[in-house]
Amino acid sequence: MTTDEDKSSCAWEDPYALALRNGHGPVYLRLGAGRRIRMPVHRWYAQPTLADESVLSRCVGPVLDAGCGPGRLCRALLSRGVFALGVDVAPRAVAHTIALGGVALCRSVFERLPAEGDWQTILLTDGNIGIGGDPRALLYRCVQLTAPTGSLLVEVDPEDVDERCTARFEDTHGHEGPPFPWACLGAPALHRIAEDLVLSVTDQWRCGHRCFLALGRHDSASGRRR
């Protein structure tokens, strides 16, 4: 039952928070240049897809899911006996993850996190390479979080893009959420940043329309992966 208080809450709640609250969209990401991307809210609440499975099969625990949303990936890993922790700045996303049996913290990946330097896999899927609007800073932070033998599994835009912008979430009625820094990267741009950070692209694959890369550290002296 929806009360008058609920309706009042919905009136001011931003479109992204409402999508998380309701478990469905449509909700769009409006980028600085005007491009609008429909967010796959239904996928966030569904069982892992074939593309998701291609990522999950490459995960070695412990796993940190950065920007976990409602937690479908970290919950799937836990159900398979792989420890995974989700982190997200959206309280509703974290609450949903925990309610369905996942483990999650309401925190930015740039804040202090448990087991820094010991994570074997960090996930940056569903466009989360854009977190903070500076992919280089984000990847550098993720390197700090991973073990020397760890890897980063990153989903990139299927197109050759390299865009930093101020973005907003919006709904079909034109209601907008607050602005935040964001970025969209394709594989070529990620290759360039990885090289700059002395990271190796150890794997690259597509599944349907989605594109992923695996990154690992290099030994700066020998050039071989540690």
Side-chain angles (χ1 to χ4, degrees):
M1 180 171 127
T2 302
T3 66
D4 289 339
E5 184 178 353
D6 292 331
K7 292 177 181 176
S8 175
S9 173
C10 290
W12 57 260
E13 203 162 15
D14 74 80
Y16 178 69
L18 280 173
L20 291 175
R21 175 187 183 132
N22 299 329
H24 60 80
V27 63
Y28 301 89
L29 181 65
R30 176 72 72 176
L31 303 178
R35 184 161 66 107
R36 190 173 80 162
I37 303 170
R38 182 165 180 161
M39 306 307 292
V41 180
H42 64 285
R43 191 174 79 213
W44 300 342
Y45 286 87
Q47 293 298 309
T49 64
L50 287 175
D52 293 333
E53 291 288 352
S54 75
V55 175
L56 295 172
S57 67
R58 289 169 166 84
C59 288
V60 176
V63 178
L64 182 69
D65 186 359
C68 66
R72 78 186 186 286
L73 298 184
C74 57
R75 287 188 285 108
L77 287 166
L78 283 169
S79 71
R80 301 169 195 197
V82 179
F83 179 76
L85 172 69
V87 293
D88 203 293
V89 296
R92 287 195 186 280
V94 172
H96 186 92
T97 299
I98 295 171
L100 291 180
V103 182
L105 293 174
C106 189
R107 200 172 298 178
S108 166
V109 70
F110 291 102
E111 297 179 56
R112 185 72 182 173
L113 293 172
E116 296 208 6
D118 289 330
W119 297 97
Q120 285 295 333
T121 308
I122 294 185
L123 299 181
L124 288 168
T125 59
D126 298 318
N128 285 331
I129 186 61
I131 289 173
D134 185 345
R136 189 187 187 283
L138 176 61
L139 290 176
Y140 181 77
R141 172 59 176 152
C142 288
V143 168
Q144 293 178 319
L145 292 168
T146 55
T149 56
S151 63
L152 315 179
L153 302 183
V154 184
E155 182 171 1
V156 294
D157 196 289
E159 305 297 327
D160 182 5
V161 298
D162 186 356
E163 180 179 359
R164 278 78 160 170
C165 65
T166 298
R168 296 176 185 267
F169 286 108
E170 64 179 38
D171 62 19
T172 53
H173 304 292
H175 300 136
E176 295 182 337
F180 54 90
W182 196 249
C184 289
L185 250 65
L190 187 58
H191 273 269
R192 291 191 294 271
I193 295 173
E195 183 178 358
D196 184 47
L197 292 174
V198 199
L199 293 171
S200 172
V201 176
T202 60
D203 198 2
Q204 183 170 338
W205 72 99
R206 282 181 177 264
C207 190
H209 67 283
R210 298 173 67 188
C211 182
F212 306 89
L213 287 84
L215 307 179
R217 295 189 193 184
H218 264 295
D219 185 300
S220 59
S222 66
R224 292 182 298 178
R225 191 180 171 197
R226 291 188 287 182

